[in-house]
């Protein structure tokens, strides 16, 4: 049995994604049914970037599974500076059964996975946010049923980690994924090409447009994210101010009116009302953002349990 990691959305197949989502639904209905980490076994959880939902949900997830979340302040540990990522991985891999890391470059988490000897989970990098997308797909499924064939419109910064993960995760689920973004901020071309290749096998599709209303037209799900991702704080004024390339990509009631009347709204949070989303939308009846935030817990429990089961006996 080979060691499995979850570093980006397409580290799993379409069937495996569906399996994890089914397990997440089971664990939401019966929170303590799975005791994979009984012992308690230790899961190392590292944070380079600011966090609320990720720390809360992974800490609770490990505890629900019977384990102990060993929270590591990666800034204090100075991972990659005071000590190499590889050496950190070798140390943590001997004390934990899995490692969860919220960091910057994708190369960092890939190096961690290469040396840890235990499953490594991407809790967010600059390129991907795969656990968030599983929670989002779970939330959509709860409201809409089967994911395949649904239209999901993401409106905003098409070059960020959320857009990249929606492309890959949505394609795996057989969804029609639309990215509405300024021409100045398109998704990374290699990720778009990979998503298109996946969609060709699952019955989904990929569309990238610079017209926000076109992206949202008749969509079953409308999604956005902050225009100022972590690490881009210096660009806040240019992204939020007058003349910003994102001005016409705000999710307003008027934009939501273009979607299917039964459409739901998602946002991974934190949200900046009046910029990427109007208060009337995120606080309105079509918003499911609080269910979405809760589902991080259930999706991540499922990911940890699934990875550990498939990696049993592979570490070394």
């Amino acid at each position: 049995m080979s060691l499995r990691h979850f570093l980006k959305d397409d580290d799993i197949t379409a069937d495996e994604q569906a399996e994890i989502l089914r397990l997440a639904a089971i664990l939401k209905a019966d929170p303590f049914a799975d005791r994979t980490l009984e012992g308690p076994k230790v899961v190392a959880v590292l944070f380079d970037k600011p966090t609320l939902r990720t720390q809360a949900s992974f800490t609770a997830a490990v505890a629900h599974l019977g384990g102990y979340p060993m929270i590591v302040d990666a800034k204090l540990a100075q991972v990659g500076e005071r000590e190499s990522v590889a050496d950190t991985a070798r140390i943590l891999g001997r004390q934990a059964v899995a490692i969860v890391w919220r960091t910057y470059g994708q190369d960092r988490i890939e190096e961690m996975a290469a040396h840890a000897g235990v499953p490594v989970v991407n809790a967010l990098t600059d390129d991907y946010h795969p656990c968030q997308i599983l929670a989002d797909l779970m939330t959509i499924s709860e409201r809409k049923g089967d994911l395949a064939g649904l239209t999901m419109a993401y409106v905003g910064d098409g070059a960020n980690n959320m857009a990249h993960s929606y492309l890959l995760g949505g394609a795996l689920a057989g969804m029609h994924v639309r990215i509405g973004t300024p021409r100045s901020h398109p998704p990374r071309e290699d990720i778009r090409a990979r998503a298109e290749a996946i969609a060709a096998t699952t019955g989904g599709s990929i569309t990238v447009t610079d017209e926000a209303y076109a992206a949202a037209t008749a969509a079953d799900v409308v999604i956005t994210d902050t225009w100022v991702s972590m690490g881009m704080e210096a660009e806040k004024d240019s992204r939020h101010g007058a003349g910003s390339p994102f001005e016409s990509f705000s999710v307003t009631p008027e934009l939501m009116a273009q979607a299917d009347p039964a459409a739901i709204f998602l946002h991974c949070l934190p949200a900046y009302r009046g910029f990427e989303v109007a208060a009337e939308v995120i606080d309105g009846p079509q918003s499911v953002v609080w269910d979405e935030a809760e589902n991080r817990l259930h999706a991540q429990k499922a990911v940890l349990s699934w990875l550990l089961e498939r990696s049993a006996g592979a570490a070394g």
Side-chain angles (χ1 to χ4, degrees), residues 55-68:
Q55 181 170 354
S57 58
F58 266 111
T59 300
V62 172
H64 279 206
L65 293 171
Y68 175 77

Side-chain angles (χ1 to χ4, degrees), residues 121 134 180 197 222 255:
V121 178
L134 286 179
V222 177
L255 185 140

Side-chain angles (χ1 to χ4, degrees), residues 68 157 238:
Y68 175 77
D157 184 356
S238 64

Side-chain angles (χ1 to χ4, degrees), residues 10 21 47 90-91 129 144 193 220 223 231 249 261 271 274 282 306:
D10 58 335
L21 291 173
F47 301 102
R90 294 181 181 107
I91 292 165
H129 199 355
K144 298 291 184 181
D220 300 292
I223 308 170
F249 290 86
I282 194 170
W306 189 90

Side-chain angles (χ1 to χ4, degrees), residues 44-48 72-92 99-105 107-109 111-112:
V45 188
L46 292 78
F47 301 102
D48 287 340
V72 178
D73 184 336
K75 290 183 178 179
L76 183 65
Q78 297 179 37
V79 179
E81 298 174 25
R82 178 172 176 268
E83 198 152 16
S84 71
V85 173
D87 285 356
T88 302
R90 294 181 181 107
I91 292 165
L92 294 177
I99 298 170
V100 176
W101 197 8
R102 182 179 177 92
T103 189
Y104 291 91
D107 60 316
R108 288 166 64 78
I109 202 163
E111 186 176 1
M112 182 75 78

Side-chain angles (χ1 to χ4, degrees), residues 12 27 31-32 43 49 80 95 126 132 146 166 172 202-203 218 240 282 294 304 307:
I12 55 177
L27 295 181
F32 304 107
V43 174
K49 291 189 173 187
Q95 301 189 37
D126 292 341
Q132 179 68 58
D146 290 342
Y166 282 124
L172 280 170
T202 62
H240 278 179
I282 194 170
E294 176 193 339
L304 286 169
L307 287 172

Side-chain angles (χ1 to χ4, degrees), residues 263-311:
I264 56 175
F265 171 77
L266 279 74
H267 190 310
C268 68
L269 305 175
Y272 299 91
R273 292 164 174 81
F275 292 103
E276 76 272 7
V277 61
E280 303 96 302
V281 174
I282 194 170
D283 299 320
Q286 291 174 283
S287 175
V288 294
V289 299
W290 311 119
D291 291 342
E292 177 188 8
E294 176 193 339
N295 283 341
R296 287 285 300 277
L297 166 64
H298 311 301
Q300 288 160 188
K301 284 167 66 175
V303 166
L304 286 169
S305 178
W306 189 90
L307 287 172
L308 286 165
E309 179 183 346
R310 275 148 190 78
S311 300

Side-chain angles (χ1 to χ4, degrees), residues 199-217:
T201 70
T202 62
S205 66
I206 302 298
T207 302
V208 177
T209 176
D210 62 353
E211 296 182 6
Y213 276 41
T217 299

